[in-house]
Amino acid sequence: MKSTISGFHQDQLGDWVADLACGHTRHMRHDPPWQNREWITTPEGRTRFIGSVVECKVCAESGQEGHMTENEAARKREQQRIAQAVRAACLQAAIEAYEYAQIKGLCQEGAWDLAVDAVKTLDLDKVLEGLPG
Ligand SMILES: [Zn+2]
């Protein structure tokens, strides 16, 4: 989620913290070579960044579901539908192969190999075609 910087303050350790328009805060450390923000150390630099757009992690985490558009929600439902269909098909293939192996009298290890093979070679196109509309 995007937010804008409305001001700055220092925390107890003297690190600079940006106040965001959304009411959250974000640390803006100048810690070279990992974080290079020399501008944060001067009043001019900080003034320059007021009003600039930054990513707010708190908003992104707390508002994920609530801020999803109808399109995004529909896309997620579709992805879940496909994922569930693939899981069901994998399970079915594994169970069928395992039962087949037991009927054929294969040992545990052989039955397991067959079940894993069945999942590996599962025809995904067929799974997708068979998706309930
Ligand atoms: Zn926020």
Side-chain angles (χ1 to χ4, degrees):
M1 293 293 291
K2 300 257 185 274
S3 195
T4 52
I5 295 175
S6 58
F8 293 94
H9 69 269
Q10 278 176 295
D11 68 10
Q12 298 92 320
L13 299 172
D15 285 329
W16 282 100
V17 181
D19 303 306
L20 306 182
C22 56
H24 298 128
T25 58
R26 198 181 135 169
H27 269 96
M28 295 277 165
R29 292 191 181 87
H30 177 53
D31 188 16
W34 294 279
Q35 289 174 304
N36 218 335
R37 291 199 187 96
E38 200 163 6
W39 57 267
I40 197 77
T41 59
T42 66
E44 292 84 0
R46 291 193 293 279
T47 306
R48 201 152 45 86
F49 274 82
I50 286 176
S52 64
V53 177
V54 292
E55 195 68 32
C56 178
K57 282 184 192 141
V58 182
C59 276
E61 277 165 18
S62 63
Q64 219 169 25
E65 288 290 324
H67 289 80
M68 238 195 315
T69 65
E70 191 47 48
N71 256 350
E72 286 168 336
R75 199 167 151 257
K76 193 163 186 198
R77 278 197 300 273
E78 179 65 12
Q79 285 174 337
Q80 280 173 342
R81 205 164 67 92
I82 293 169
Q84 279 165 4
V86 170
R87 180 166 61 190
C90 285
L91 264 175
Q92 198 191 343
I95 291 167
E96 275 174 11
Y98 197 83
E99 282 173 352
Y100 174 80
Q102 284 187 320
I103 291 165
K104 288 284 174 189
L106 266 73
C107 61
Q108 284 282 347
E109 206 178 314
W112 172 243
D113 279 350
L114 211 66
V116 170
D117 261 3
V119 173
K120 277 188 194 162
T121 58
L122 186 71
D123 189 347
L124 290 178
D125 284 338
K126 224 177 194 170
V127 175
L128 293 177
E129 278 166 25
L131 268 179

